[in-house]
């Protein structure tokens, strides 16, 4: 537990990728194999069992520390993180000797779900007495079932790939799927050469990515040299059928087969030796349009999806490129040829589609249809040079993306409440209003988009201009105007304004604007009507 | 008994005051600071007053402009440095009782920084103690806190929540030295941010001078000299000049006030690793917000267990909380059967010397 705790704090206290990878590498080289296997299991976001309720933890922390509940709660409001609060409150016994990570997980955390509350209490209090403050924090993170330490799966894969001296794709494949840590896990993960080479047969090709087009279309040359298609708003993925196996890989080097069983099932229609590049999109059959990306996220958060879940969020794989046909790597062929191969590689079904190229004579027409992007539920437009091969990474001049600009409005801050974690104690969650008949109605909340310096400045401003309090929410004198960007607008009977904004983000503080100059609700209602509501 | 006649001269008229506590109080709040009506003197006044007893020289407690200052002898050099050459400062040794308008006043070590005091006030058998800022941890750069029995204790509670519990300062010193050595191994200069009065000298005292050269930012350097002039032994340290930065690049430990990081000053030491020594470093959220590479939990304020212990030792039955998480302490004291209330002192100060107290995060919701 000491070593894993040190790793946790190293990861927690740096934002530099290189340092994170170095810290992970050191840990995996030095830690006992069973501990390392559990560390990988935990850091990759797998759940280790039923968590104890935070209410009980709080109660036992009050008991162990000898302080009243209200004081424990007050500490929590200052720290902003319950795991950390409790770790700071519980007394530390001198000269603790922490059990190893695998003992903590296997003998303390995992059995908690199947024992009585009294026994749970005994285990928790007993473990507290064996750990120091930092180790307790990590223990609580394990208990919370929400172990986040700023390491993406990709980063973990890179670190492990470096230790094992294999490619990231191979490591991603070894990590994928269902497994439980045991004494042999690290041997399997870190093997130099894969004894069962077939295990790597699901390995994807490195993805080809596009640059954003900022400088207009004039430098692109003749429109006839370009393939134009919608930029789908979903999860970029490769669908691989090789050696009798079907694997769906997201761009994050992650196997997502388990989340999209209907795509895997449909892919059995693909010929052996096929690799397609495309986008997983939530699809509405009634409107024949994609659904918002957010509906896909619910799927991704699950390791496996029950069949009954399908109709709730129907998905489709929209293929736009062929990378391997009949077992042959075709990435060096031109896009024109690859698209021709794609067209004949499988019959289109509702779950397995092909992206249809758009045909326009002039660039002006292309820019014009961009305006339809939003109503069509796509992110924008892709421009791909027809003569281009499929190259890994982000080669210049071959693929361009044209994204629709977010909508914007000017709104006045009318309320603020404190954030959590890193922003604990600062007023960081703001509510904004727009004018309606001389008063401000709340239109949206927004959190992200400001620098740390601006956040501190707004915190000071908000505290100086607090006119009232409702629990943690400060009512703020309407003086400060912000430009808010958002991706979409929709009707919402649940909101006072009757409007809900999607993905609102603070673009900037408008010090040049007076509150009276902020937008009016009517303007937003007009926008809503223009969207067809 | 030594009476400082000039300090209690009757020509000073009663000031305009706004009492917020009962009239029989020995100490009341005014718009200029804490005031003792019976003794006709202020404590840590933030505006110009005729007579000002100063607990210690930090800028949120000692302000320029008063006619006379009274402070502990140990701290006279430092207060002089802060208040200017022309300030009239009367030093008295710890424990010596003086009489002001018939009120008995004495200063007692608070262990916060060199020359910091608690103020004991006795009138008609009633004893009040104003703790000033204090700590109970060992600190080789100042006299240790001595508990003083009293009826009413006005105590600071900057870190008055049970999440604040300090580890032994020798462990922190070892951590700082290990960090320094680690930085040297990769060719980085170490820049440790610590308040220039008190914290910087305490950190300096814990450094292992055998590891390499120690350099002090100008603000720290001046006060360190005042410490040395007061007889405090500290490891040798040079001035953090451009020449020294070049000469000792990658090897030196540089001690600087927190504000130095926002300036171009730090750049001359690149590549460097930055550390912050403060009690707030106990909480990860605050640590991250400071944006330093390392946080060392080292405070010159009392932690929560020692705060409760101190209250017990004074045997006070009336606890007045000031500076920090006052509401929580008041509520806890009342639950434990004591009379208790909070005092709203004004704090904050000039940015350069802002002391730990000004950063107290606000607690939301009910007390």
């Amino acid at each position: 537990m000491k070593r894993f705790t040190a790793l946790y704090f190293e990861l927690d206290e740096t934002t530099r990728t290189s340092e994170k990878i170095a810290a992970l590498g050191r840990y995996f080289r030095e830690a006992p194999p069973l501990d390392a296997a559990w560390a990988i299991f935990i850091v990759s976001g797998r759940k280790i069992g039923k968590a104890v309720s935070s209410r009980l933890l709080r109660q036992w922390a009050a008991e162990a520390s000898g302080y009243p509940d209200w004081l424990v709660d007050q500490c929590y409001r200052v720290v902003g993180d319950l795991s950390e609060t409790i770790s700071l409150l519980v007394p530390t016994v001198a000269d603790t000797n922490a059990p190893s990570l695998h003992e903590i997980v296997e003998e303390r955390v995992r059995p908690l779900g199947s024992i009585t509350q009294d026994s749970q209490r005994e285990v928790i209090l007993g473990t507290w007495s064996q750990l120091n403050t930092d180790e307790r924090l990590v223990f609580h993170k394990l208990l919370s079932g929400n172990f986040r330490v700023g390491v993406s799966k990709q980063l973990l894969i890179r670190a492990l790939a470096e230790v094992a001296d294999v490619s990231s794709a191979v490591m991603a494949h070894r990590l994928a799927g269902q497994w439980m840590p045991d004494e042999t896990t690290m041997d399997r993960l870190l093997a130099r050469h894969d004894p069962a080479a077939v295990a790597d047969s699901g390995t994807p090709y490195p993805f080809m990515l596009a640059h954003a087009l900022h400088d207009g279309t004039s430098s692109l040359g003749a429109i006839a040299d370009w393939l134009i298609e919608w930029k789908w708003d979903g999860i970029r993925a490769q669908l691989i059928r090789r050696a009798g196996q079907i694997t769906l890989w997201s761009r994050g080097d992650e196997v997502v087969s388990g989340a999209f069983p209907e795509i895997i099932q449909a892919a059995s229609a693909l010929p052996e030796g096929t690799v397609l590049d495309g986008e997983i999109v939530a699809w509405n059959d009634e409107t024949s349009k994609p659904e918002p990306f957010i509906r896909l996220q619910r799927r991704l958060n699950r390791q496996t999806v029950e069949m009954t879940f399908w109709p709730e969020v129907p998905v489709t794989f929209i293929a736009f490129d062929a990378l391997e046909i009949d077992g042959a790597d075709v990435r060096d062929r031109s896009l024109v040829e690859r698209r021709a191969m794609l067209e004949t590689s499988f019959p289109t079904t509702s779950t397995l589609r092909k992206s249809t190229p758009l045909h326009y004579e002039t660039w002006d027409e292309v820019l014009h249809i961009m305006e339809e992007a939003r109503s069509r539920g796509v992110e924008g437009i892709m421009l791909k040079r027809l003569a281009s091969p499929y190259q890994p990474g982000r080669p210049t001049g071959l693929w361009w993306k044209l994204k629709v600009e977010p909508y914007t409005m000017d709104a006045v801050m009318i309320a603020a409440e404190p954030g959590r974690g890193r922003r604990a104690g600062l007023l960081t969650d703001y509510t904004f209003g727009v004018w309606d008949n001389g008063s401000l109605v709340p239109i949206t909340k927004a959190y992200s988009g400001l620098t740390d310096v601006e956040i501190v400045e707004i915190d000071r401003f908000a505290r100086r201009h607090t006119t009232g309090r409702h629990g943690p929410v400060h009512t703020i004198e309407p003086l400060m105007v912000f430009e808010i960007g958002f991706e979409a607008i929709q009707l919402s009977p649940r909101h006072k304004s009757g409007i809900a904004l999607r993905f609102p983000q603070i673009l900037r503080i408008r010090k040049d604007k007076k509150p009276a100059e902020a937008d009016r609700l009517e303007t937003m209602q007009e926008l809503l009507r223009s969207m067809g509501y | 008994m030594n009476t400082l006649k000039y300090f209690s001269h009757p020509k000073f008229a009663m000031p305009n005051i706004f009492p917020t506590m009962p009239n029989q109080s020995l100490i009341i709040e005014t718009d200029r600071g804490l005031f003792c009506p019976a003794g006709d003197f202020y404590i840590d006044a933030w505006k110009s007053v005729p007579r000002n007893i100063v607990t210690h020289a930090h800028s949120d407690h000692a302000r320029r402009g008063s006619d006379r200052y009274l402070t502990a002898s140990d701290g006279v050099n430092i207060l002089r440095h802060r208040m200017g050459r022309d300030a009239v400062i009367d030093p008295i040794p710890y424990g010596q009782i003086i009489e002001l308008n018939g009120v008995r006043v004495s200063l007692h070590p608070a262990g916060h920084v060199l020359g910091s005091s608690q103020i004991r006030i006795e009138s008609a058998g009633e004893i009040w103690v104003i703790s000033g800022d204090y700590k109970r941890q060992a600190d080789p750069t100042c006299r240790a806190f001595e508990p003083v029995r009293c009826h009413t204790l006005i105590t600071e509670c900057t870190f008055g929540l049970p999440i604040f519990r300090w580890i032994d300062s020798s462990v922190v010193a070892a951590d700082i030295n290990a960090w320094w050595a680690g930085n040297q191994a990769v060719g980085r200069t170490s820049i440790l941010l610590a308040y220039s009065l008190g914290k910087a000298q305490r950190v300096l005292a814990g450094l292992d001078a055998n590891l390499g050269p120690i350099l002090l930012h100008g603000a720290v350097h001046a006060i360190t000299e005042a410490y040395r002039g007061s007889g405090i032994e500290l490891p040798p340290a040079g001035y953090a000049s451009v020449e020294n930065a070049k000469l000792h690049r990658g090897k030196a430990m540089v001690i600087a006030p927190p504000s130095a990081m926002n300036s171009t000053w730090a750049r001359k030491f690149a590549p460097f690793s930055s550390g912050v020594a403060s009690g707030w470093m106990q909480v990860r959220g605050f640590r991250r917000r400071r944006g330093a590479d390392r946080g060392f939990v080292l405070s010159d304020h009392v932690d929560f267990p020692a705060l409760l212990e101190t209250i017990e030792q004074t045997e006070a039955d009336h606890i007045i909380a000031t500076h920090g998480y006052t509401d929580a302490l008041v509520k806890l004291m009342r639950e434990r059967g004591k009379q208790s209330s909070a005092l709203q002192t004004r704090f904050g100060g000039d940015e350069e010397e802002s002391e730990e107290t000004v950063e107290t995060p606000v607690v939301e919701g009910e007390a």
Side-chain angles (χ1 to χ4, degrees):
Chain A
M1 195 68 171
K2 286 211 179 322
R3 210 190 301 260
F4 186 63
T5 302
L7 172 68
Y8 178 87
F9 279 88
E10 277 182 87
L11 295 173
D12 189 51
E13 296 191 352
T14 181
T15 51
R16 298 186 188 121
T17 305
S18 59
E19 285 180 10
K20 286 187 182 186
I21 289 185
L24 286 164
R26 258 196 316 279
Y27 178 84
F28 294 133
R29 284 189 187 96
E30 292 168 8
L34 192 50
D35 285 349
W38 275 112
I40 293 168
F41 191 84
I42 294 158
V43 173
S44 63
R46 291 172 162 85
K47 301 271 185 288
I48 54 172
K50 175 117 170 59
V52 176
S53 85
S54 61
R55 183 185 55 82
L56 284 174
L57 275 182
R58 238 191 262 210
Q59 186 184 315
W60 295 332
E63 199 180 305
S65 65
Y67 296 118
D69 293 345
W70 63 262
L71 191 50
V72 172
D73 290 347
Q74 183 147 4
C75 289
Y76 173 44
R77 284 202 292 274
V78 169
V79 177
D81 175 323
L82 188 64
S83 294
E84 186 180 355
T85 308
I86 295 175
S87 73
L88 290 170
L89 280 172
V90 173
T92 299
V93 181
D95 297 328
T96 56
N97 195 2
S100 68
L101 174 64
H102 80 265
E103 283 173 307
I104 292 274
V105 175
E106 291 175 2
E107 293 164 25
R108 313 286 169 87
V109 180
R110 300 198 82 217
L112 283 174
S114 51
I115 60 177
T116 64
Q117 194 170 307
D118 282 347
S119 311
Q120 285 183 342
R121 183 183 162 280
E122 226 169 276
V123 171
I124 302 284
L125 266 65
T127 308
W128 278 345
S129 71
Q130 290 179 292
L131 306 177
N132 67 27
T133 310
D134 290 350
E135 291 158 356
R136 279 196 297 269
L137 170 67
V138 175
F139 174 55
H140 298 146
K141 293 286 173 194
L142 295 174
L143 287 176
S144 74
N146 182 15
F147 196 92
R148 274 185 297 194
V149 65
V151 173
S152 64
K153 236 177 216 182
Q154 253 171 305
L155 200 73
L156 177 67
I157 287 165
R158 269 178 67 188
L160 277 168
E162 271 182 30
V163 175
D165 196 18
V166 298
S167 72
S168 288
V170 167
M171 185 52 69
H173 198 265
R174 288 180 189 176
L175 273 180
Q178 308 265 15
W179 53 270
M180 286 305 290
D182 61 34
E183 294 290 354
T184 65
T185 304
M186 291 309 286
D187 289 342
R188 178 176 73 79
L189 291 178
L190 299 184
R192 278 288 142 82
H193 303 288
D194 212 316
V198 75
D200 290 346
S201 68
T203 308
Y205 294 104
F207 283 86
M208 179 164 175
L209 307 171
H211 282 277
L213 185 67
H214 295 299
D215 302 332
T217 51
S218 56
S219 61
L220 299 182
I223 195 166
D225 293 341
W226 295 87
L227 180 138
I228 305 160
E229 60 189 343
W230 295 118
K231 183 177 185 335
W232 304 102
D233 187 10
I235 300 159
R236 180 81 181 275
Q238 277 179 42
L239 184 54
I240 301 170
R241 180 173 166 85
R242 282 190 203 128
Q245 282 187 2
I246 298 165
T247 322
L248 189 61
W249 281 86
S250 77
R251 215 192 93 197
D253 261 346
E254 232 180 299
V255 175
V256 292
S257 307
F260 304 103
E262 66 271 60
I263 294 177
I264 300 300
Q265 199 179 67
S268 57
L270 292 176
E272 181 63 31
T274 304
V275 178
L276 304 176
D277 189 3
E279 193 94 2
I280 304 165
V281 175
W283 194 266
N284 186 330
D285 275 326
E286 279 174 32
T287 60
S288 288
K289 280 199 311 195
E291 290 276 293
F293 175 73
I294 203 154
R295 302 207 64 190
L296 273 180
Q297 266 175 333
R298 295 173 57 195
R299 284 277 198 111
L300 270 188
N301 295 339
R302 300 170 186 237
Q303 285 287 331
T304 53
V305 173
E306 301 299 323
M307 299 292 261
T308 51
F309 196 69
W310 293 11
E312 220 183 296
V313 186
V315 297
T316 184
F317 181 83
I318 305 178
F320 48 66
D321 216 326
L323 312 185
E324 189 175 307
I325 294 292
D326 293 333
D329 179 353
V330 297
R331 291 176 299 157
D332 284 342
R333 313 279 280 273
S334 70
L335 178 58
V336 180
E337 291 173 87
R338 299 200 307 277
R339 286 299 287 232
M341 290 187 249
L342 174 65
E343 290 306 326
T344 56
S345 62
F346 66 93
T348 295
T349 67
S350 62
T351 323
L352 215 53
R353 301 162 192 257
K354 295 155 196 152
S355 176
T356 316
L358 308 168
H359 294 286
Y360 295 99
E361 305 292 320
T362 67
W363 288 120
D364 280 350
E365 284 175 79
V366 173
L367 297 180
H368 189 69
I369 55 143
M370 272 291 287
E371 288 166 19
E372 288 177 31
R374 263 211 187 87
S375 59
R376 286 176 176 270
V378 297
E379 273 193 310
I381 278 176
M382 296 295 305
L383 305 171
K384 297 175 178 174
R385 198 173 275 281
L386 285 166
S388 63
Y390 192 94
Q391 291 183 358
R394 217 181 286 274
T396 307
L398 303 183
W399 285 17
W400 296 102
K401 58 185 173 192
L402 264 169
K403 284 178 83 164
V404 282
E405 296 287 322
Y407 294 109
T408 64
M409 66 169 174
D410 292 327
V412 189
M413 178 165 74
I414 53 176
E417 56 189 293
R420 284 276 147 89
R422 183 166 173 265
R423 294 169 167 189
L426 285 174
L427 298 171
T428 58
D429 301 357
Y430 320 119
T431 303
F432 298 96
V434 289
W435 295 106
D436 181 34
N437 289 325
S439 65
L440 286 161
V441 283
I443 183 93
T444 188
K445 282 185 159 200
Y447 318 85
S448 56
L450 295 170
T451 65
D452 284 357
V453 174
E454 287 171 324
I455 285 171
V456 170
E457 181 192 332
I458 295 170
D459 174 75
R460 290 216 185 106
F461 168 87
R463 288 184 195 284
R464 273 202 310 276
H465 294 99
T466 296
T467 55
R469 290 261 201 115
H470 307 277
V473 182
H474 293 230
T475 313
I476 311 293
E477 209 180 329
L479 294 171
M480 213 170 187
V481 181
F482 291 74
E483 186 180 1
I484 311 288
F486 50 99
E487 297 284 331
I489 182 168
Q490 58 196 44
L491 273 174
S492 169
R494 289 190 300 115
H495 291 81
K496 198 174 170 187
S497 61
I499 287 174
L501 304 182
R502 276 221 316 268
F503 306 121
Q505 202 187 8
I506 300 167
L507 298 180
R508 61 193 170 123
I509 307 173
R510 291 295 305 256
K511 288 187 178 155
D512 55 320
K513 285 219 168 186
K514 294 193 181 71
E517 296 172 71
D519 276 311
R520 290 179 311 168
L521 187 61
E522 280 169 48
T523 318
M524 307 302 289
Q525 286 161 341
E526 274 165 31
L527 180 61
L528 201 58
R529 276 193 294 277
S530 75
M531 304 285 299
Y533 284 100
Chain B
M1 186 174 302
N2 175 16
T3 305
L4 297 176
K5 288 233 171 57
Y6 42 80
F7 198 78
S8 55
H9 198 281
K11 82 173 183 187
F12 297 115
M14 272 288 280
N16 183 18
I17 53 169
F18 304 95
T20 54
M21 285 192 285
N23 280 336
Q24 67 268 29
S25 288
L26 263 181
I27 300 291
I28 58 172
E29 268 176 288
T30 75
D31 64 345
R32 301 174 176 196
L34 296 183
F35 179 66
C36 175
D40 190 17
F41 57 85
Y42 284 85
I43 294 163
D44 290 350
W46 52 67
K47 287 182 182 171
S48 301
V49 298
R51 280 148 294 173
N52 189 4
I53 302 181
V54 175
T55 59
H56 65 286
H58 275 143
S59 61
D60 51 338
H61 293 261
R63 295 296 180 93
R64 290 188 179 216
S66 287
D67 298 341
R68 293 199 90 91
Y69 296 91
L70 182 76
T71 200
S73 308
D74 283 11
V76 77
N77 279 352
I78 295 165
L79 191 64
R80 167 82 54 214
H81 176 75
R82 288 291 173 91
M83 296 301 101
R85 194 170 304 219
D86 300 333
V88 181
I89 302 175
D90 305 313
I92 55 166
Y94 287 128
Q96 180 182 317
I97 298 167
I98 60 165
E99 212 162 274
L100 298 170
N101 280 359
V103 174
R104 287 155 62 89
V105 177
S106 55
L107 306 185
H108 302 268
H112 178 57
V113 297
L114 180 61
S116 64
S117 307
Q118 313 169 62
I119 301 172
R120 181 187 185 277
I121 297 164
E122 182 181 350
S123 176
E126 174 87 5
I127 303 169
W128 285 47
V129 167
I130 295 103
S131 75
D133 289 347
Y134 67 102
K135 71 169 174 289
R136 304 299 302 268
Q137 279 190 309
D139 180 346
T141 67
C142 65
R143 294 264 299 271
F145 180 95
E146 290 170 13
V148 180
R149 288 183 59 196
C150 58
H151 301 106
T152 298
L153 173 68
I154 301 183
T155 180
E156 66 133 324
C157 50
T158 306
F159 291 104
L161 285 178
I163 48 174
F164 296 108
R165 204 168 43 192
W166 310 144
I167 53 169
D168 199 280
S169 33
S170 63
V171 175
V172 180
D175 284 349
I176 292 174
N177 284 318
W179 170 68
W180 183 11
N183 288 336
Q184 288 177 333
V186 294
R188 281 189 199 143
T189 306
S190 306
I191 300 184
L192 189 61
L193 304 173
Y195 296 100
S196 50
L197 165 50
K199 187 73 65 64
Q201 291 73 32
R202 186 179 176 200
V203 166
L204 176 60
L207 290 179
D208 179 357
N210 295 322
L211 284 175
I214 302 167
L215 302 177
L216 307 178
H217 180 278
V220 175
H221 193 267
I223 293 164
T224 303
E225 288 308 301
Y227 262 64
R228 292 190 207 274
S230 304
I232 305 297
E233 281 188 31
L234 294 166
Y239 183 67
S241 60
V242 178
E243 298 75 46
N244 278 334
K246 275 187 197 153
L247 187 62
H248 302 301
R249 194 181 299 282
K251 295 189 202 74
M253 165 65 82
V254 184
I255 305 177
S259 56
M261 276 315 277
N262 306 325
S263 64
T264 54
W265 175 85
R267 279 188 221 148
K268 64 185 174 190
F269 295 98
F272 63 82
S273 177
S274 61
V276 172
S278 161
W280 298 114
M281 297 299 105
Q282 178 92 319
V283 177
R284 286 188 309 159
F286 303 151
R287 213 149 66 212
R288 283 193 207 132
R289 218 180 292 153
R290 282 304 280 268
D293 298 315
R294 277 292 293 273
F296 298 100
V297 184
L298 189 72
S299 178
D300 287 328
H301 293 269
V302 66
D303 70 359
F304 194 71
L307 169 62
L308 297 187
E309 191 193 344
T310 302
I311 288 170
E312 287 307 310
Q313 287 172 342
T314 64
E315 296 175 31
D317 49 22
H318 183 193
I319 307 301
I320 299 174
T322 179
H323 286 92
Y325 300 104
T326 51
D327 295 347
L329 185 66
V330 168
K331 188 169 174 181
L332 188 69
M333 287 298 107
R334 286 180 182 166
E335 282 187 359
R336 294 188 175 183
K338 297 208 186 262
Q339 193 189 341
S340 189
S341 55
L343 200 62
Q344 296 306 322
T345 48
R346 179 188 304 185
F347 41 81
D350 57 290
E351 289 291 311
E352 201 278 318
E353 287 300 336
S354 58
E355 227 258 327
E356 279 184 331
T357 44
V358 303
E359 292 173 32
T360 307
V362 175
V363 179
E364 300 298 329
E366 47 108 25

